[in-house]
């Protein structure tokens, strides 16, 4: 007896003369195809688009920083002469620097009545807050009391961003709280000042850019097609069985 490969066919075919088309089956089939097309396009859109996944861990991501954080200041003081503007730096590691002038610049404003201070310096790090990369950008305190001091408390979160190519970029996010007050001592009112107090979180936030893997996309498509056709087949079978039963009942009543 010759070997017949067709015996291994698990998808046996039913002759067309043994099948019966119905209007209900046609409607369900069309709806089924439209539903599959909709889900397919949704999955395809998700596969093409990239997603940003974030995770938290305890670490210092920037090992080459030498325990420093780079700070850039750009402050406009419209009612303070440049000769009265100065920068003091103080941290909990023992640093206390008065009149810091390195990498700083004063630009007169309003015909010399005001001043814009620009500076770049580094501070020591001292030790899950989600913030912005530049939360103080555009902050406006011009309408506040000109004799008041301003205290900004910044909670800093080290941040790592890894793109699709695996390249990592290091930055910091921060949240900020602000209070405004007029300071006094036993000798009278204290000269107004602007304080920026930094508190570094030991938690690092990592954002990873990635795309859905191909095997997961194929698995989803197969599940959509198979599941939709299975459910549609069950629904069509139930409707057809109920219809046949109803016809028999009506036929019995007529007899």
């Amino acid at each position: 007896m010759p070997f017949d490969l067709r015996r291994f066919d698990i998808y046996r075919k039913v002759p067309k003369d043994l099948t019966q088309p119905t209007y209900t089956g046609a409607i369900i089939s069309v709806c089924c195809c439209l539903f599959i097309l909709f889900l397919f396009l949704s999955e395809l859109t998700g596969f093409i688009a990239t997603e940003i996944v974030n995770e938290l861990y305890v670490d210092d991501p920037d090992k080459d920083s030498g325990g420093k954080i780079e700070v850039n200041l750009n402050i406009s003081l419209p009612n303070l002469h440049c000769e009265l503007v100065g920068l003091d730096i103080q941290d909990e590691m023992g640093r206390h620097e008065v009149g810091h002038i390195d990498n700083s610049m004063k630009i007169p404003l309003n015909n010399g009545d005001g001043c814009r201070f620009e500076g770049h310096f580094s501070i020591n790090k001292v030790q899950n807050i989600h913030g912005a990369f530049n939360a103080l950008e555009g902050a406006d305190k011009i309408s506040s009391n000109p004799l008041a001091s301003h205290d900004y408390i910044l909670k800093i979160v080290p941040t790592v961003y890894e793109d699709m190519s695996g390249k990592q970029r290091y930055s910091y996010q921060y949240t900020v709280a602000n209070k405004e007050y007029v300071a006094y001592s036993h000798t009278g009112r204290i000269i107004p000042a602007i304080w920026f107090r930094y508190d570094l979180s030991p938690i690092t936030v990592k954002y990873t850019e990635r795309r859905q893997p191909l095997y997961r996309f194929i698995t989803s498509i197969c599940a959509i097609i198979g599941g939709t056709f299975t459910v549609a087949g069950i629904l069509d079978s139930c409707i057809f069985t109920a219809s046949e039963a109803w016809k028999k009942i009506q036929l019995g009543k007529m007899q």
Side-chain angles (χ1 to χ4, degrees):
M1 182 178 180
F3 176 77
D4 189 357
L5 183 63
R6 292 179 298 176
R7 289 185 299 174
F8 294 98
D9 185 5
I10 61 176
Y11 302 102
R12 300 300 178 95
K13 311 304 183 293
V14 179
K16 288 187 177 180
D17 56 351
L18 298 179
T19 61
Q20 176 184 348
T22 63
Y23 287 107
T24 303
I27 295 174
I28 292 178
S29 297
V30 172
C31 294
C32 179
C33 291
L34 293 176
F35 184 66
I36 289 176
L37 179 62
F38 169 73
L39 294 181
F40 172 78
L41 294 177
S42 299
E43 285 293 326
L44 182 61
T45 302
F47 174 71
I48 295 175
T50 58
E51 60 176 347
I52 305 298
V53 181
N54 64 77
E55 59 178 308
L56 303 177
Y57 58 93
V58 180
D59 191 18
D60 179 7
D62 194 355
K63 301 297 190 304
D64 300 325
S65 66
K68 301 287 186 180
I69 295 178
E70 299 298 322
V71 179
N72 293 289
L73 285 180
N74 189 331
I75 305 175
S76 295
L77 306 167
N79 299 309
L80 191 63
H81 296 281
C82 281
E83 59 267 20
L84 301 177
V85 177
L87 173 65
D88 298 346
I89 303 176
Q90 182 177 352
D91 60 39
E92 296 182 4
M93 306 299 291
R95 179 183 182 184
H96 190 182
E97 185 174 345
V98 179
H100 180 88
I101 59 174
D102 294 339
N103 299 317
S104 62
M105 179 171 55
K106 301 177 184 179
I107 304 173
L109 299 175
N110 302 331
N111 297 321
D113 294 332
C115 184
R116 184 170 81 243
F117 180 85
E118 298 180 3
H120 172 77
F121 57 93
S122 60
I123 59 174
N124 293 316
K125 295 181 180 179
V126 290
Q127 325 271 100
N128 163 346
I129 302 172
H130 183 77
F133 287 99
N134 200 353
L136 278 174
E137 183 178 14
D140 186 355
K141 294 293 182 180
I142 295 179
S143 59
S144 61
N145 187 345
L147 300 178
S149 294
H150 297 268
D151 202 343
Y152 296 91
I153 297 92
L154 292 84
K155 300 291 185 178
I156 303 175
V157 182
T159 303
V160 181
Y161 188 92
E162 182 176 319
D163 59 20
M164 294 286 294
S165 64
K167 182 180 179 181
Q168 292 187 343
R169 287 175 287 176
Y170 303 101
S171 184
Y172 296 92
Q173 299 180 85
Y174 65 92
T175 57
V176 59
N178 164 249
K179 64 179 179 179
E180 177 183 331
Y181 58 93
V182 177
Y184 291 91
S185 68
H186 63 280
T187 57
R189 190 178 68 245
I190 299 177
I191 297 175
I194 303 175
W195 297 92
F196 296 94
R197 307 181 191 274
Y198 298 89
D199 182 14
L200 185 69
S201 169
I203 301 296
T204 295
V205 181
K206 182 179 181 180
Y207 295 99
T208 305
E209 187 181 52
R210 69 185 185 187
R211 182 176 284 115
Q212 178 181 336
L214 179 61
Y215 73 87
R216 186 178 300 173
F217 172 70
I218 296 175
T219 302
S220 299
I221 296 302
C222 292
I224 288 172
I225 296 175
T228 303
F229 274 119
T230 300
V231 173
I234 294 174
L235 180 62
D236 179 62
S237 178
C238 292
I239 294 176
F240 180 77
T241 302
S243 176
E244 291 298 311
W246 177 254
K247 289 180 181 178
K248 291 182 181 180
I249 292 174
Q250 294 297 320
L251 183 61
K253 287 182 178 181
M254 294 178 60
Q255 293 177 353

